[in-house]
Amino acid sequence: MRHTRFQCLPHQAMALLEVKRTFASSSNDPSMTLPLSDRDLTGNVPIHLAELIDLVSLDLSFNDDLRLHEPSFQTIIANLSKLNKLHLDRVKISSTAADCFRAMAKSITQLEILTMPGCKLSGTVDNSLSGLSLLSVIDLSFNSITYPPRFFSRFHSPRVLELGSSNLQTFPLEILELRNLKVLSLWSANISGCIPYYIGNLTSLTELDLSDNVLSGGPIHFGDRVNNLESLYLSFNSLSGTIPLSLFTHPALNRLDLSRNQFSGALGEFSNPSLTLVEVDLSVNQLGGPVPKSFARLAALESLSLDHNYFTGTLELFSYFKLRNISWLSASNNNLLSVAWQWHASNGESSRSSTSSWLLGTDPLKADQPHVQLSGLDLSSNQISGEIPSWIWSKVFHILNLSRNNFTAVGQPLANTTITGHLPRSLSNCQELIFLDIGENFITDTFPSWIGELPHLRVLVLRSNQLYGSLSSLEENLTMEYFQDLQIIDIGNNTLNGALPTNLFQSSKLMTHPAGSGGGIYATSPESDEWFRPYLIVVNVAMKELYIDVSKIQADFVLIDLSHNRFHGPIPTTIGKLSALHVLNMSGNAFTGVIPEELALSLTSLEWINLSYNTLSGRIPSGPQFSTFPSSSFQGNEELYGCPLPIQCTLKGSSPKDPAPSTPSMSKSKGDWFDDIMLHLFIGLGFGVGFSTAVMVRLVYSGRRWHYKRSPNP
């Protein structure tokens, strides 16, 4: 064997050894193969390959930096007359397409399988390749080849023809003569015009991919003869007309992608639904009418995408839970008005379409019902009203998006979901996150100031966890505008300690600018932007004895709860700059010193305050708001005096009408939570709830609606 230096990097020595071993065994092995795919080979293909005259299979595919320059492609294959399989996927070839095909027609006449996608072939080819009478698999995708007229009609019996990402411009009609063709892939081939009417002549076809072209017209004609078709991909075209219902009853079809076209009209119900369809994608079309109930009878269905259409009416979600393999269902950006979440009665009642026939209290996850496999659900941007059922929080969704709807209530979770350990830093990637409630868990971590980097976060509830340490990270990041949109934060019932930073939430526009003085910049009317919809949030805030004029609660309702931690030191005077505050709870800590006058003079929006059970001293400052608070707001501070406390109260003729003081507890019962108040906020843009917990609402609603303005995503 002649030794020629391997012109490539040293780490390819193993590949060269493989070539030598194959060459050494050629006399004893009449069916030699050389599998060198995906080996990270670089440089030029070694000329030793040309000496393996008994080689029947050569695979150099997916070595993206491998070249056939010198020696040339023609030199390598000149003596490989027994070769019947040649895989050169993504190997860079310097020869033209015409030179390569002529060399193959001359030297490797036994070739059956040829794959050369992404080989940088170019130029117009001649008909020499069609002289390979045994050729059954041809993959020339990702090349810049021009094919002469009637080129494909000269082949004898190809089974696979893949010419994706080429420049065919028109559909080669001679392909319709290849009756043994099973796979036809012409995606992104710049084909215009209509799908040929006689494509049904390809009766052996199992896969057809015409996606990402400029095809137009319709409908699709397959006739009754393409019974073996398993995959149909027609996405990213301009096809129009109605979708034949026969596609959903096809005996073999398992993947159907008609997305991003111009199909229109209503989809009717169909009998004999397919038992093989696994994936159906009809998104981004102009389909209307109700979602066919027949879709839920596609027994093998795993994924159904109906997004960006005009579907209306009620989506019978419960019926999809009966499918054993369903994992994804999306119908976002439609005109759906309601969702039937629950199971239909099964006690002999006749089937009715009315929502009154659903078992309204039924949990579809119970053991006596089919197991729900659904892990992704996207119903965002519809007009769905009613209540989000409580059982939905018990289902472990990887993705749950119900944003931009008209829901009026959120059901309480049926069971508590316990989260332990550190708060995942990956939450910082959720740039569209607006509310986060993971209270009452077992999170053991320092205060996650990094969450403040989220540009749209408005509600943060971390109460009743095991947070520890100080809030010094906020002080250390004076140059960072953390929590710019924050309006509700509850970190009560933790073990946080240390002094409060002087810049506490000073970057929040909604906390520092009360409504009517620049803080109302987020308010808008529903007519001003179709992207805005009100969404009900309920926030469980552990307070008691809250007396708020409900008519004053607005979308910029601002609340800070630092209660029952271990904060100490003086109350920062800078809290007075948070002039939009409605509720401030600092009870059950170890704050010392006097109550700053700034709190009484500057917090003119304050509706309720609780500074009880600290170590505060001195006189309670007087002000327009402080004079209205009950004594329970200040009790438990032995050295504190002045109105409204009975001790040294200077308000003549007054007799405090306070309820009997209660003993503070580090863990309050639900009976201690303050009166219920409803707060409407816009929950924006689908943040794709891979990590989503309910922000529960417990507020008494006055009948208003408020809208939060956000820039819509494109």
Side-chain angles (χ1 to χ4, degrees):
M1 175 175 170
R2 184 163 50 90
H3 294 281
T4 302
R5 189 167 65 90
F6 198 27
Q7 301 177 21
C8 51
L9 296 180
H11 74 270
Q12 292 185 280
M14 292 301 295
L16 178 57
L17 289 175
E18 186 72 25
V19 174
K20 291 181 177 179
R21 291 193 193 101
T22 304
F23 181 77
S25 63
S26 61
S27 59
N28 301 321
D29 186 2
S31 58
M32 268 201 318
T33 62
L34 185 56
L36 293 175
S37 64
D38 201 10
R39 299 283 189 92
D40 292 325
L41 304 180
T42 60
N44 290 312
V45 172
I47 198 172
H48 300 86
L49 290 180
E51 302 174 31
L52 301 177
I53 59 175
D54 292 319
L55 199 64
V56 297
S57 177
L58 174 60
D59 189 350
L60 298 175
S61 59
F62 303 109
N63 294 292
D64 291 359
D65 294 317
L66 195 59
R67 301 188 301 271
L68 260 172
H69 291 183
E70 183 61 42
S72 66
F73 174 83
Q74 298 93 307
T75 302
I76 290 293
I77 69 167
N79 297 314
L80 304 183
S81 59
K82 297 181 180 180
L83 201 65
N84 58 41
K85 296 181 180 66
L86 179 59
H87 301 282
L88 298 176
D89 310 40
R90 302 211 295 248
V91 176
K92 307 302 184 293
I93 299 176
S94 60
S95 303
T96 66
D99 289 340
C100 289
F101 293 165
R102 281 193 289 265
M104 285 187 281
K106 178 181 179 181
S107 304
I108 49 177
T109 57
Q110 304 300 309
L111 196 63
E112 299 176 13
I113 297 176
L114 172 65
T115 63
M116 300 178 69
C119 290
K120 294 189 177 297
L121 297 176
S122 60
T124 301
V125 302
D126 53 30
N127 294 321
S128 55
L129 189 66
S130 61
L132 300 176
S133 59
L134 301 179
L135 199 58
S136 63
V137 176
I138 305 171
D139 186 352
L140 300 175
S141 306
F142 288 105
N143 287 295
S144 301
I145 301 174
T146 303
Y147 300 95
R150 305 292 300 172
F151 175 79
F152 300 102
S153 64
R154 303 174 189 274
F155 290 93
H156 295 270
S157 56
R159 294 182 293 107
V160 176
L161 184 59
E162 300 197 31
L163 305 175
S165 190
S166 55
N167 189 24
L168 294 176
Q169 296 187 352
T170 59
F171 189 98
L173 294 178
E174 63 269 22
I175 288 179
L176 302 179
E177 302 172 14
L178 307 177
R179 300 302 175 88
N180 295 319
L181 197 62
K182 291 188 174 182
V183 176
L184 177 59
S185 180
L186 304 179
W187 55 270
S188 193
N190 198 30
I191 300 174
S192 59
C194 299
I195 297 176
Y197 183 86
Y198 293 105
I199 200 167
N201 291 346
L202 301 177
T203 55
S204 299
L205 209 59
T206 61
E207 178 179 328
L208 176 62
D209 189 348
L210 299 177
S211 59
D212 199 12
N213 281 289
V214 284
L215 293 168
S216 58
I220 309 169
H221 296 284
F222 288 103
D224 300 326
R225 294 177 294 171
V226 190
N227 292 325
N228 299 309
L229 191 64
E230 297 175 359
S231 302
L232 177 60
Y233 305 105
L234 299 177
S235 61
F236 289 91
N237 279 288
S238 298
L239 298 171
S240 58
T242 58
I243 296 177
L245 295 182
S246 58
L247 293 176
F248 306 118
T249 63
H250 195 281
L253 197 63
N254 57 56
R255 285 175 172 79
L256 175 63
D257 187 353
L258 305 180
S259 62
R260 296 183 181 273
N261 278 284
Q262 298 174 18
F263 292 114
S264 59
L267 292 175
E269 302 292 343
F270 45 90
S271 58
N272 301 318
S274 169
L275 300 177
T276 59
L277 262 178
V278 171
E279 298 178 7
V280 176
D281 191 346
L282 307 180
S283 58
V284 196
N285 278 286
Q286 300 171 21
L287 302 171
V291 176
K293 298 177 183 179
S294 306
F295 280 153
R297 296 169 56 208
L298 298 171
L301 192 64
E302 296 179 7
S303 173
L304 176 62
S305 300
L306 305 173
D307 312 275
H308 290 274
N309 279 287
Y310 300 101
F311 289 113
T312 60
T314 299
L315 176 67
E316 295 189 355
L317 183 64
F318 73 91
S319 59
Y320 292 90
F321 296 154
K322 293 179 288 187
L323 300 177
R324 291 182 177 274
N325 301 315
I326 189 71
S327 62
W328 173 256
L329 174 60
S330 60
S332 66
N333 290 275
N334 279 281
N335 296 322
L336 296 174
L337 298 175
S338 60
V339 173
W341 305 91
Q342 282 79 21
W343 292 97
H344 191 277
S346 58
N347 58 356
E349 292 183 15
S350 60
S351 176
R352 301 193 303 271
S353 60
S354 170
T355 56
S356 63
S357 64
W358 314 143
L359 294 176
L360 297 179
T362 303
D363 175 9
L365 304 178
K366 287 184 177 179
D368 60 346
Q369 295 166 341
H371 178 59
V372 181
Q373 298 288 338
L374 196 63
S375 61
L377 177 64
D378 186 354
L379 301 179
S380 61
S381 298
N382 279 281
Q383 301 175 32
I384 304 171
S385 58
E387 178 179 357
I388 299 175
S390 57
W391 60 258
I392 206 164
W393 311 120
S394 302
K395 180 72 181 73
V396 183
F397 285 98
H398 291 108
I399 296 177
L400 173 61
N401 191 352
L402 303 177
S403 65
R404 290 186 184 155
N405 277 289
N406 295 328
F407 291 114
T408 54
V410 182
Q412 292 277 2
L414 295 176
N416 289 330
T417 302
T418 301
I419 303 173
T420 61
H422 282 60
L423 200 62
R425 191 67 185 251
S426 58
L427 278 174
S428 61
N429 297 324
C430 301
Q431 292 293 297
E432 300 298 331
L433 192 64
I434 292 180
F435 71 93
L436 176 64
D437 180 356
I438 45 178
E440 301 188 34
N441 280 285
F442 293 93
I443 296 173
T444 304
D445 204 345
T446 56
F447 177 72
S449 59
W450 47 269
I451 285 183
E453 299 176 15
L454 297 174
H456 307 298
L457 186 68
R458 300 188 74 179
V459 178
L460 177 62
V461 180
L462 299 173
R463 73 172 298 101
S464 299
N465 278 285
Q466 298 173 9
L467 299 180
Y468 61 89
S470 68
L471 302 183
S472 59
S473 55
L474 292 175
E475 191 86 63
E476 294 167 358
N477 292 280
L478 290 173
T479 58
M480 301 292 292
E481 294 188 352
Y482 282 1
F483 299 107
Q484 294 185 62
D485 279 0
L486 191 67
Q487 70 180 82
I488 293 177
I489 181 167
D490 181 359
I491 54 176
N493 280 357
N494 282 285
T495 57
L496 296 165
N497 57 35
L500 293 183
T502 57
N503 65 331
L504 185 69
F505 309 127
Q506 298 293 312
S507 296
S508 171
K509 298 184 290 291
L510 289 175
M511 288 188 177
T512 56
H513 296 82
S517 63
I521 58 175
Y522 297 97
T524 183
S525 65
E527 294 80 13
S528 64
D529 196 317
E530 63 179 0
W531 293 89
F532 308 151
R533 298 188 189 278
Y535 193 101
L536 183 66
I537 310 179
V538 188
V539 184
N540 285 330
V541 185
M543 294 182 180
K544 63 178 182 177
E545 299 176 18
L546 176 61
Y547 305 103
I548 298 181
D549 183 352
V550 177
S551 65
K552 295 181 181 179
I553 301 299
Q554 300 181 12
D556 53 0
F557 178 73
V558 178
L559 177 149
I560 294 178
D561 189 344
L562 310 176
S563 64
H564 298 292
N565 279 284
R566 300 174 184 174
F567 294 120
H568 59 76
I571 296 175
T573 60
T574 50
I575 288 183
K577 295 182 179 180
L578 305 178
S579 54
L581 270 177
H582 293 92
V583 175
L584 176 63
N585 189 356
M586 304 176 72
S587 63
N589 282 285
F591 290 114
T592 57
V594 300
I595 300 174
E597 292 283 346
E598 287 81 358
L599 271 63
L601 298 177
S602 302
L603 301 184
T604 55
S605 297
L606 203 61
E607 298 284 349
W608 192 83
I609 192 171
N610 191 349
L611 301 177
S612 64
Y613 297 98
N614 281 285
T615 316
L616 298 170
S617 59
R619 179 180 292 276
I620 298 173
S622 60
Q625 301 300 107
F626 270 51
S627 61
T628 66
F629 299 137
S631 62
S632 58
S633 294
F634 306 99
Q635 67 187 16
N637 294 279
E638 295 183 0
E639 298 184 14
L640 199 63
Y641 62 93
C643 288
L645 290 176
I647 303 174
Q648 300 186 27
C649 182
T650 59
L651 187 61
K652 295 181 180 180
S654 65
S655 58
K657 299 179 181 179
D658 296 325
S662 59
T663 303
S665 169
M666 293 300 291
S667 179
K668 297 188 178 183
S669 68
K670 289 188 177 179
D672 290 327
W673 286 342
F674 71 105
D675 293 345
D676 293 347
I677 300 169
M678 249 185 206
L679 173 66
H680 271 72
L681 295 177
F682 171 69
I683 297 306
L685 307 186
F687 45 84
V689 187
F691 185 92
S692 122
T693 52
V695 174
M696 298 306 304
V697 166
R698 303 249 303 171
L699 301 170
V700 179
Y701 178 45
S702 65
R704 296 186 182 182
R705 289 191 176 185
W706 298 276
H707 300 263
Y708 171 57
K709 187 169 185 179
R710 287 280 316 286
S711 297
N713 281 344

